[in-house]
Amino acid sequence: DKLRKMLRARQLQHSRIIQTSRRSHTSHAIRRYCQQGKKDEEIGKPKKYTLSMFPYPSGNLHMGHVRVYTLVDVLARFQKMQGYQVLNPMGWDAFGLPAENAAIERGMNPATWTRMNIAQMKTQLQQLGSEFDWDKEVTTCDPSYYKWTQALFLELYAAGLAYQKNAMVNWDPVDLTVLANEQVDQQGRSWRSGALVEQKQLKQWFFKITEFVEPLLKDLDTLKGWPDQVKNAQRNWIGESQGAFFEFQLENPTPSMKSIKIFTTRAETLYGVTYLALSPSHELVTQSSDRRITGGISTQSTHDSTQGFPLGIFAINPANNEKVPIYAAEYVLGEVGSGAVMGVPAHDSRDFKFAKFHQIPIRYVVSDPEKELDTTSAYTAEGVMKNSGNFDGKSTEEARKAIIDMAAQHSWGGIMKTYRLRDWLISRQRYWGTPIPIIHCGNCGIVPVPEKDLPVVLPEVNLKGVKGSILAQLDDWKNCTCPKCSGKAVRETDTMDTFIDSSWYFLRYPDAHNSEKMFDPEILKQWMPVSAYVGGIEHAILHLLYSRFITKFLHRQGKLENSEPFLNLITQGMVQGKTYKHPETGKFLKPDEIDVISDVAYLKGTETKVSSSWEKMSKSKYNGVDPVPVISQFGSDAVRLYILFKAPPAGNLEWDMSQIVGQTRWLQRITSLVQDHLDGAKNSTDHRLPNLIGAVHETIDHVTKCMSIESHSFNVAISRMMALSNVIGDVPIEHRGSSDFGHALRSFFHHVVSDGTNHLIADVGSHCSIVGCRIERLDRKIRRNFAAILARVSFRTFGREFNF
């Protein structure tokens, strides 16, 4: 009954959205008419692939969605009018924890929940008026899609790039699943649940992204169409360091470890080593039987932490054969170098703080001969060597090279380049994700599922009350037969990180219905790389890095001609809402809890002022705006125009409802000019307006430059169009029926006039050519939206006008 009521509520909401769309906008039939035949006309034209990051189907669009899809739609329309055949598809990033948690809460299957949400959001997107290629739609939770995600896994496995190993992993105690390092924030909390992340030793699947670390880093220099902010974020995440490595032999070697390899950028300080520090995830630390060590330090590195314990073992400094103690230390990063550093407290501020706390000796081996040595802190500058044997008196630069050469000559060190990037942990202990196509056999070990048996389909289950991985609890699904020996075996019960689904979806769109292969390389050759990719800056590292990795892998496999997925990247800023806080408690206030008088906010019914600021829209801050009623009130075109005009794509957009009225008035003014022309064309003689035609072409030139991918200054383009409308409006009323006046108006609505005429005749019952049109009935039926249609397609107009 509960599910039935929920479905009925969704149907009613869906129906209201459709009714709103019919009232407030040109019917979908008009849009369909205007597009029909276009695909046939475009055959043979040069191609452009314009793409927006596909959404997670949460059930409702938010203003961030409206902004990104408006931007990409405008780009696609503009490129079409430049003479390109444009691919502008849409799909759904449909797997993941939010849907699974929602299904658990409601006692239903995530597939049911997800498809309901997709249907609703698709209706809202169509209401927005965006021209997506819906015939290319993909949904990552559909078996016809994740069959090829599984095939990608098998190809990586065959190439030695997918492997399983025991590892200390990040465990989310709320969502009960493993997280990649990238999904843990600087406070050690889960990116999704916000819970403090714990550490567990588990057998996990990884993708060997580190094999591509050098091209991932080097090829950033070729991405001229990417923002520097994004490229720098990826460089920092990859984290290249140039330095040296040294091997410190263990005093008492074990069968599995005879030495500790350390990486350093300060090779000249080797003689100043007084201890070694290991990260909490280092093998020697995790294998310790001392619970004080394994349980007493956090695996989430704290830069200035002095927390640590001696392991009770020693290593030998290869430079002077001194015995130095080995510590487990919180401040050492497991993902940098080998997770081991040489402790030189005299010349590193963190080491100095740690050594002081643990009373470890401090030996200065570099100093400034012009100044007295300050032993109350670490000396970190360049200088002259001391206490370093044969290297005393040399400059640090000379000693650095000489010590590395000595290490290489005696085979206990040398030059080394290291990276912060670690292999991609892809295992997730949850249900709603792509099953990993692996079988575990007692006789054969790890056996890949034969490609002919793909997809490995998720079983349909009700998740009510489920905790953790339900797949491990489903014996009927888990137990199977080994494809090699036909003996008893079990399926892998982990699912894949959802970032894998989104790491290749852009490769599926051009060949979305291919049932024989992931994609046809010949078709991809025509479309890839994506010419313009539009999405949020928050994806600067994870999604974009993983997409580049998969693209480079498939390029190496000979399946892709390009080695980079996205030629140009446009990252849009946040949509911000006015946010109000209680002056004493700092609590976020709802709009109905305040009074705004002369732009000053007060607690409702009082004279107490509240603080206000512009912040990212959020339910918890009560500053969000539902796009559906806004579009219903003002029309989608006024909303789109406001979004484009208010701020450049990369800037934050401060949402102010009162300012949309200005865009509506401008659209109404264009409608009025159209009416003037239609009325004047019936009675007046033609009159040449050379100054007006000159202004049209000057505007075309400016707008074309503003609309280029290199510039994408949409707000400036609209300003130019508004300026042109002022020039058109200055034409005397008696000349507004002239062909030149009509020609100028076509720079706003040429598409509707040329492509929509016959359909408008059938739909409205009015003759609608630019001259002699009877617009009375048309104006009564769609009124403001007629002008809105014209504005929505105005960017196409400039492309159509190029051949004057």
Side-chain angles (χ1 to χ4, degrees):
D1 289 340
K2 183 179 178 182
L3 178 58
R4 231 185 334 265
K5 290 178 181 178
M6 186 188 309
L7 289 170
R8 178 57 181 158
R10 280 298 179 88
Q11 290 169 352
L12 289 172
Q13 186 177 9
H14 187 77
S15 175
R16 284 195 294 271
I17 291 172
I18 292 175
Q19 291 169 7
T20 298
S21 179
R22 285 172 177 166
R23 286 195 306 269
S24 302
H25 307 283
T26 307
S27 68
H28 180 61
I30 290 181
R31 288 196 296 271
R32 186 172 63 247
Y33 177 84
C34 293
Q35 293 175 41
Q36 72 180 29
K38 287 294 179 185
K39 294 187 186 302
D40 292 337
E41 293 177 13
E42 290 173 350
I43 292 175
K45 293 182 178 180
K47 293 177 170 53
K48 287 279 188 181
Y49 187 176
T50 302
L51 183 63
S52 52
M53 295 180 185
F54 66 170
Y56 163 72
S58 59
N60 290 290
L61 290 182
H62 54 67
M63 279 301 175
H65 289 133
V66 174
R67 189 179 193 193
V68 68
Y69 301 136
T70 296
L71 292 172
V72 79
D73 188 59
V74 166
L75 272 176
R77 293 170 184 271
F78 177 69
Q79 289 168 345
K80 286 177 183 177
M81 289 300 98
Q82 286 184 306
Y84 292 102
Q85 181 182 355
V86 178
L87 177 63
N88 180 24
M90 174 52 69
W92 310 97
D93 191 9
F95 272 138
L97 280 171
E100 182 168 342
N101 290 339
I104 292 172
E105 181 183 333
R106 292 163 176 80
M108 60 194 300
N109 188 282
T112 305
W113 172 256
T114 300
R115 295 196 183 283
M116 286 165 49
N117 289 346
I118 287 174
Q120 178 161 310
M121 289 183 72
K122 187 172 181 178
T123 299
Q124 291 175 335
L125 281 173
Q126 290 170 337
Q127 180 187 9
L128 184 61
S130 299
E131 290 186 356
F132 291 117
D133 294 314
W134 288 109
D135 57 333
K136 300 291 187 181
E137 182 179 9
V138 301
T139 304
T140 60
C141 69
D142 193 296
S144 65
Y145 180 89
Y146 70 72
K147 169 183 179 178
W148 302 113
T149 305
Q150 292 172 340
L152 175 62
F153 177 98
L154 294 178
E155 192 160 358
L156 285 158
Y157 181 80
L161 298 177
Y163 64 94
Q164 192 178 35
K165 72 171 184 177
N166 284 313
M168 187 69 74
V169 297
N170 304 309
W171 179 258
D172 186 324
V174 173
D175 284 333
L176 300 179
T177 190
V178 166
L179 302 171
N181 288 336
E182 298 90 332
Q183 295 167 331
V184 181
D185 67 19
Q186 293 180 343
Q187 286 73 46
R189 295 185 178 275
S190 166
W191 74 308
R192 180 69 73 182
S193 72
L196 279 172
V197 171
E198 300 171 357
Q199 295 295 304
K200 278 193 175 184
Q201 186 83 15
L202 293 175
K203 184 169 278 190
Q204 299 289 288
W205 284 95
F206 293 82
F207 283 169
K208 199 173 183 181
I209 190 174
T210 52
E211 185 159 315
F212 289 82
V213 65
E214 291 194 1
L216 284 170
L217 183 61
K218 177 175 63 70
D219 291 351
L220 286 170
D221 294 333
T222 70
L223 300 176
K224 306 300 183 185
W226 283 40
D228 288 339
Q229 181 183 2
V230 174
K231 292 190 287 187
N232 289 335
Q234 293 211 1
R235 287 190 186 98
N236 293 336
W237 187 257
I238 293 170
E240 181 185 67
S241 295
Q242 298 276 0
F245 74 94
F246 300 126
E247 295 277 356
F248 283 70
Q249 298 296 315
L250 290 175
E251 182 186 34
N252 297 305
T254 67
S256 62
M257 185 172 294
K258 294 180 171 54
S259 66
I260 296 176
K261 184 178 183 179
I262 66 93
F263 172 81
T264 179
T265 58
R266 296 290 306 274
E268 72 277 9
T269 64
L270 180 59
Y271 285 84
V273 174
T274 56
Y275 70 96
L276 297 186
L278 309 181
S279 76
S281 59
H282 193 280
E283 181 180 345
L284 282 177
V285 179
T286 59
Q287 289 178 353
S288 174
S289 59
D290 190 339
R291 294 296 301 167
R292 181 188 59 147
I293 295 172
T294 55
I297 57 176
S298 170
T299 50
Q300 293 302 316
S301 175
T302 305
H303 185 271
D304 292 324
S305 174
T306 58
Q307 187 71 10
F309 294 96
L311 297 179
I313 57 178
F314 295 84
I316 308 301
N317 186 331
N320 55 20
N321 290 319
E322 285 187 1
K323 185 169 71 172
V324 295
I326 301 174
Y327 282 74
E330 276 187 4
Y331 75 88
V332 181
L333 294 168
E335 63 267 22
V336 175
S338 57
V341 300
M342 57 187 206
V344 189
H347 305 291
D348 183 277
S349 57
R350 290 177 305 170
D351 294 352
F352 185 89
K353 187 175 180 181
F354 187 85
K356 281 289 189 183
F357 184 84
H358 292 277
Q359 298 183 335
I360 300 171
I362 299 173
R363 181 191 304 131
Y364 287 85
V365 294
V366 180
S367 65
D368 183 345
E370 304 296 325
K371 296 181 181 178
E372 184 177 346
L373 184 64
D374 178 9
T375 59
T376 63
S377 63
Y379 179 79
T380 58
E382 299 287 331
V384 175
M385 302 297 297
K386 59 187 286 187
N387 299 324
S388 299
N390 295 333
F391 302 99
D392 285 356
K394 292 182 179 293
S395 69
T396 48
E397 185 177 356
E398 291 176 302
R400 188 177 302 131
K401 183 179 185 305
I403 289 174
I404 293 173
D405 289 344
M406 179 179 71
Q409 184 179 353
H410 292 88
S411 301
W412 47 261
I415 294 174
M416 183 180 180
K417 185 188 296 183
T418 189
Y419 301 92
R420 182 173 178 264
L421 182 68
R422 287 293 177 263
D423 284 343
W424 179 7
L425 192 160
I426 66 149
S427 291
R428 298 294 181 268
Q429 290 67 43
R430 297 303 293 254
Y431 165 79
W432 193 234
T434 300
I436 295 176
I438 289 292
I439 291 171
H440 299 277
C441 174
N443 298 321
C444 307
I446 293 176
V447 181
V449 173
E451 190 164 329
K452 66 180 180 62
D453 294 336
L454 298 181
V456 177
V457 179
L458 282 171
E460 291 192 12
V461 294
N462 187 311
L463 297 184
K464 186 174 183 178
V466 169
K467 286 288 185 182
S469 174
I470 192 174
L471 295 179
Q473 306 168 36
L474 299 176
D475 290 340
D476 289 345
W477 183 86
K478 179 176 66 174
N479 296 327
C480 62
T481 300
C482 174
K484 271 191 175 181
C485 69
S486 299
K488 291 183 178 180
V490 294
R491 296 189 186 280
E492 174 61 63
T493 57
D494 284 355
T495 54
M496 297 188 213
D497 181 6
T498 55
F499 277 111
I500 299 174
D501 306 316
S502 60
S503 70
W504 75 276
Y505 78 106
F506 49 89
L507 301 174
R508 183 66 176 171
Y509 278 137
D511 198 15
H513 305 294
N514 194 327
S515 60
E516 302 299 321
K517 58 180 76 171
M518 192 175 182
F519 53 78
D520 185 334
E522 291 302 314
I523 292 177
L524 267 290
K525 191 185 297 184
Q526 298 175 40
W527 289 104
M528 289 294 293
V530 174
S531 56
Y533 195 36
V534 185
I537 190 68
E538 65 271 19
H539 300 293
I541 297 175
L542 296 179
H543 164 58
L544 293 172
L545 187 65
Y546 294 153
S547 299
R548 296 180 64 223
F549 161 58
I550 294 300
T551 300
K552 288 182 182 301
F553 167 68
L554 293 172
H555 172 72
R556 193 178 77 175
Q557 296 293 99
K559 294 189 173 182
L560 284 177
E561 197 170 71
N562 56 291
S563 63
E564 286 289 344
F566 313 119
L567 196 60
N568 295 283
L569 179 67
I570 300 173
T571 54
Q572 91 278 5
M574 295 182 294
V575 179
Q576 298 179 319
K578 201 64 173 291
T579 310
Y580 301 97
K581 292 181 183 178
H582 194 284
E584 296 176 1
T585 66
K587 172 188 170 186
F588 291 109
L589 299 173
K590 299 177 183 178
D592 60 6
E593 294 178 310
I594 63 168
D595 292 321
V596 179
I597 303 171
S598 300
D599 293 330
V600 179
Y602 302 88
L603 282 176
K604 197 170 191 68
T606 74
E607 295 182 357
T608 304
K609 292 182 180 180
V610 303
S611 62
S612 63
S613 60
W614 292 99
E615 298 186 25
K616 181 180 179 181
M617 287 186 177
S618 167
K619 289 181 181 178
S620 64
K621 297 176 182 177
Y622 309 112
N623 65 349
V625 176
D626 185 351
V628 173
V630 177
I631 291 171
S632 175
Q633 179 180 355
F634 295 101
S636 63
D637 301 291
V639 174
R640 288 158 56 104
L641 188 64
Y642 172 73
I643 284 173
L644 293 169
F645 183 65
K646 176 70 174 175
N652 291 333
L653 190 156
E654 297 175 350
W655 185 266
D656 186 345
M657 195 81 78
S658 64
Q659 294 183 8
I660 302 180
V661 176
Q663 317 307 321
T664 303
R665 281 199 295 264
W666 183 62
L667 296 176
Q668 290 171 333
R669 187 180 183 209
I670 301 301
T671 305
S672 175
L673 292 173
V674 171
Q675 186 66 62
D676 287 346
H677 173 70
L678 296 174
D679 291 341
K682 299 174 185 177
N683 306 312
S684 67
T685 57
D686 205 3
H687 187 86
R688 307 307 297 173
L689 301 169
N691 292 339
L692 177 59
I693 297 303
V696 168
H697 286 278
E698 184 179 356
T699 304
I700 289 170
D701 180 55
H702 284 299
V703 170
T704 301
K705 291 174 182 175
C706 291
M707 291 294 297
S708 68
I709 289 177
E710 294 76 20
S711 176
H712 44 78
S713 303
F714 305 136
N715 55 330
V716 179
I718 293 172
S719 294
R720 289 286 182 176
M721 294 170 64
M722 289 179 171
L724 177 61
S725 70
N726 291 334
V727 175
I728 295 173
D730 288 340
V731 173
I733 191 70
E734 63 269 19
H735 297 156
R736 292 184 180 183
S738 68
S739 59
D740 281 357
F741 190 86
H743 173 83
L745 287 175
R746 286 188 183 91
S747 64
F748 291 96
F749 54 86
H750 184 88
H751 170 74
V752 170
V753 172
S754 62
D755 295 334
T757 300
N758 293 330
H759 184 76
L760 289 171
I761 293 171
D763 189 56
V764 182
S766 298
H767 180 66
C768 192
S769 65
I770 192 63
V771 178
C773 169
R774 297 198 323 271
I775 198 171
E776 291 83 9
R777 185 178 174 189
L778 176 65
D779 185 51
R780 285 196 303 272
K781 184 169 182 179
I782 55 178
R783 298 175 67 88
R784 175 172 64 241
N785 297 296
F786 176 70
I789 299 169
L790 310 188
R792 181 165 69 232
V793 298
S794 60
F795 297 116
R796 300 205 226 188
T797 301
F798 291 103
R800 295 292 291 269
E801 297 285 347
F802 286 161
N803 295 322
F804 281 147

